[in-house]
Amino acid sequence: MSFKKFFKSMGVTSSVFMGVFYAVAMLGIFLLGYTALPGQMDELKIAFVNDDKGKAAKQIEDQLIESLPFKTIDTDLTNKEALKSLEDNDYALVIHIPKDFSKNASKGESAQIDFTVNEASATMVASSMSSVVKEINAQLSTSFSKQTAQGVLMSMNVPEDQAKEISKQIEESYVGNYVVVNDVPDGMHNNMLPMFLTMACYVGAMIAAMQLVGSFKMFLGEAPKIRLFGYVQLSAFIIAVLGTIAALIITYLVADVDTATIWKVALQQILLYMVAFNFCAMFTFLVGEAGMILNIPVLLAQTIANGATMPRDMMYAPFEVMSYITPMYHSVQSYFAIFFGSTDPVPHIWGLAAVGAGALVINLLIVTFLHRQKPLKKLAEDTKEITA
């Protein structure tokens, strides 16, 4: 057999196609999706709470609202309300000026502003806010030093001891307090754990969808198609349980996760597998093995739309829409809440379940109306015997 004949075989041509297709799909989707970083940072929302009605606090509020690079800066809420919304990742940063700020500043005492971020959120948010706060603190520290120095220069013939004390006052007149809520343990593996768990489960479910739907079609002549559909779902559930056990053993050994949390994660991981399986199976039930050509771009797009790297506020519109109707976003956000956050994961779990229910209904409709039932072998054999 010649190489030409071998190269034209179905397996080789399929491999060539998938090699080119995967490269184009991955680079096209990733490069486009990640151009939102950091260009879309101004889409993030922050809260500015000023509890001090003094002149100094008002000047700082006006200065920061004018200079901060964000389109949405909410000021009509209390610090408690702002921090609650921060926990739910509705805000990327909360800036709080305490009520005694102007009083302390006028006396040359330590005047503090709180900058609070939520680390149990997209990695881009935490890192960006850290940089923003550092820049703000540098500007305010310089401004306060100059203002305090003006007061000092008004005094003449200051003794050496007093001069040292005043110098210390100038250095410590402003304090930027950087506060972290829902602190994530050190290590990139901890920060990316919600995404890694979700990705591992999803990819396994995608491959299983292709294989189990293939088995469904193979046995169409040996059992009614609705019964076979039930067998497919039961098989997927068994795989979900086994895959979850394997995934969580590794998670427990490698990441900073306690036993109580593992049990909570186990239930969601099984749910995620079933949702991802039915979501991927839609394309396979619809067009067969060629459904993988549709599943791969959808998978790649979800790596951007899952909220692990950037929040919805920063996503381009197609990725934002995808975050609502695909499994990964709901799963990743729920894992952030379970592992690191104090917010409630239940809304995200309900979102995940809704995607799964929709996919299951679509699969049932495809099986019912688009897949023809082959003559059952046993029935055909009985008919043949009666005729004979």
Side-chain angles (χ1 to χ4, degrees), residues 380-388:
E381 291 172 357
D382 292 344
T383 304
K384 186 176 180 181
E385 289 176 4
I386 294 172
T387 305

Side-chain angles (χ1 to χ4, degrees), residues 26 54 114-115 140 151 171-172 179 240 265 297 351 359 388:
M26 183 172 182
D114 297 327
F115 300 88
L140 291 179
E171 292 177 0
E172 298 179 354
V179 182
V265 172

Side-chain angles (χ1 to χ4, degrees), residues 181-203:
V181 296
N182 303 326
D183 190 23
V184 176
D186 293 337
M188 194 68 176
H189 61 293
N190 287 310
N191 189 269
M192 297 302 291
L193 180 59
M195 180 176 175
F196 289 162
L197 265 177
T198 299
M199 285 285 289
C201 186
Y202 189 96
V203 172

